[in-house]
Amino acid sequence: MTEVTDPATTTPPAGGPALAPPPFSVIPGGQVRQVLAGREREVVDLVADTYRLHGAGESVNRPSYFLRFPDRPTARIIALPASIGGPSGVDGLKWISSFPGNIESGLPRASAVLILNDHDTGYPFAVLESSIISATRTAASAALAADRLSRDRGRPVRVGFIGTGLIARYIHTFLAGTGWEFDEIGVHDLTAESAHGFRGYLERSGTGGRITVHAEAEQLVRSSDLVVLATVAARPHLHDPAWFGHGPLVLNVSLRDLAPEILLSATNVVDDVEHCLKADTSPHLVEQLTGSRDFLAGTLDDVMAGRITVPADRTVVFSPFGLGVLDLAVGRYVYDEVVRTGGLAVVEDFFHERSRHG
């Protein structure tokens, strides 16, 4: 283990010695989890600040690139390149795979790494296990949206989870960690084992409120003021706007569960318009159906800045495509904390060939 400094401080003054590449480090999932555990409020604030930077144009968030496979149609690997400004500016790339078939073999569906690049040299200075970072930024974004979108409506006390994997668990953890309490918690999953496993997690977490496993999605939706969609659905399976007639707040995290008819009867908020309206997400299907984006009220940054107001008497749907800048912000936060506590593991001589002419 080698002591390192912030790679952003390695640039020499003009006329100084030749610039050395930053030290390269690897941060495994155990360290990532240790840094982030119990810091839900801090991470939600970080995500809110990152949305503000993005809304102010102090970021580069390129479209996600999907690698798909003819022989494995349900699987994909996605590249999210991004750059974020501000006091902890950093460039980088998240490379995340989704292989739903893993679940049958006892492996998590998703796996990921995050690469952080030095602002001045472009050299990568760290690679982090990123399934935890991805789940964390997704959950923090959902908790932030639940808070901001319910301020003019009253905080929901009945939550329902459709899809009960890792993301659902992290979203519940972030809701609980930022002060949410529920009288009732509904659970629904196509796999009974997963639904009951999630119920077991809820019971072990000490959460209050009555827990109900619903056999049908309709029962859950109709009995929930806050609906969390965290499935691996590739196309809409919730079609009837009448199920949402009581005007719940819907966190459309998995993006493809809702038919266009439901979004057209709701107030729609996204994280980024251009990024969300592609890849056959539910909002993208609405745009294809109507030829218009008029169904969108705005972005979560618009809500935080007071540029739009959320109605209290209508279904509100938040559809976050998931911005690479959020991964960078959380990843940089983890890196800085590992450096601060002296736990960074450096790979010596990683950048070996450094002379132009040998």
Side-chain angles (χ1 to χ4, degrees):
M1 186 179 298
T2 302
E3 182 178 353
V4 300
T5 58
D6 186 334
T9 67
T10 60
T11 304
L19 183 64
F24 184 79
S25 59
V26 176
I27 301 177
Q31 282 186 302
V32 174
R33 184 74 182 96
Q34 184 177 19
V35 168
L36 295 174
R39 297 187 179 182
E40 290 83 12
R41 292 182 185 274
E42 195 170 342
V43 175
V44 168
D45 290 342
L46 173 64
V47 166
D49 290 341
T50 305
Y51 274 134
R52 293 188 184 98
L53 283 171
H54 181 66
E58 296 186 43
S59 67
V60 179
N61 202 93
R62 299 298 302 160
S64 302
Y65 298 92
F66 287 72
L67 177 62
R68 298 187 184 276
F69 314 97
D71 62 328
R72 292 157 288 169
T74 65
R76 64 182 187 266
I77 306 178
I78 309 172
L80 289 81
S83 175
I84 185 171
S88 298
V90 67
D91 312 322
L93 172 77
K94 180 170 78 167
W95 182 241
I96 182 166
S97 67
S98 175
F99 278 55
N102 285 352
I103 297 173
E104 298 176 6
S105 304
L107 281 174
R109 172 189 60 85
S111 57
V113 294
L114 177 69
I115 301 171
L116 302 181
N117 291 76
D118 178 41
H119 177 277
D120 295 325
T121 67
Y123 270 76
F125 63 86
V127 61
L128 300 84
E129 195 285 330
S130 196
S131 66
I132 295 172
I133 290 172
S134 185
T136 294
R137 64 85 152 147
T138 299
S141 170
L144 174 67
D147 174 40
R148 296 295 180 140
L149 295 173
S150 65
R151 289 190 175 184
D152 295 328
R153 304 162 49 89
R155 178 163 283 199
V157 295
R158 301 179 301 165
V159 63
F161 291 87
I162 298 180
T164 55
L166 179 75
I167 298 300
R169 172 162 63 86
Y170 267 74
I171 290 174
H172 176 267
T173 297
F174 266 77
L175 290 171
T178 52
W180 287 74
E181 296 179 353
F182 299 103
D183 296 335
E184 299 179 22
I185 301 177
V187 176
H188 172 72
D189 197 286
L190 293 179
T191 304
E193 181 181 359
S194 182
H196 288 283
F198 188 67
R199 177 174 189 161
Y201 150 74
L202 293 172
E203 292 171 344
R204 292 191 304 273
S205 71
T207 186
R210 182 179 62 184
I211 303 170
T212 303
V213 176
H214 293 274
E216 302 294 336
E218 179 179 0
Q219 299 169 345
L220 181 143
V221 171
R222 289 184 180 275
S223 62
S224 302
D225 307 315
L226 174 64
V227 178
V228 179
L229 302 176
T231 75
V232 294
R235 59 187 61 87
H237 57 95
L238 303 176
H239 295 273
D240 191 347
W243 295 7
F244 300 82
H246 55 298
L249 171 59
V250 181
L251 302 180
N252 184 29
V253 175
S254 41
L255 286 174
R256 295 173 178 84
D257 301 80
L258 300 172
E261 294 79 7
I262 294 173
L263 270 66
L264 286 169
S265 65
T267 296
N268 291 280
V269 178
V270 298
D271 55 355
D272 182 282
V273 174
E274 294 298 332
H275 285 80
C276 197
L277 270 66
K278 64 180 181 182
D280 290 336
T281 63
S282 293
H284 189 206
L285 294 180
V286 176
E287 182 187 34
Q288 294 175 60
L289 177 67
T290 65
S292 170
R293 296 180 173 182
D294 292 344
F295 69 97
L296 294 178
T299 67
L300 184 58
D301 181 57
D302 291 328
V303 175
M304 292 192 297
R307 291 186 290 268
I308 62 173
T309 302
V310 178
D313 56 352
R314 195 174 188 218
T315 298
V316 175
V317 178
F318 175 60
S319 299
F321 195 81
L323 303 181
V325 291
L326 300 183
D327 296 279
L328 287 185
V330 176
R332 181 63 196 241
Y333 173 83
V334 170
Y335 176 85
D336 289 343
E337 281 297 296
V338 173
V339 170
R340 185 183 65 82
T341 57
L344 197 67
V346 172
V347 180
E348 300 290 351
D349 200 31
F350 185 83
F351 298 110
H352 177 73
E353 189 63 82
R354 292 163 52 185
S355 173
R356 293 186 67 188
H357 306 295

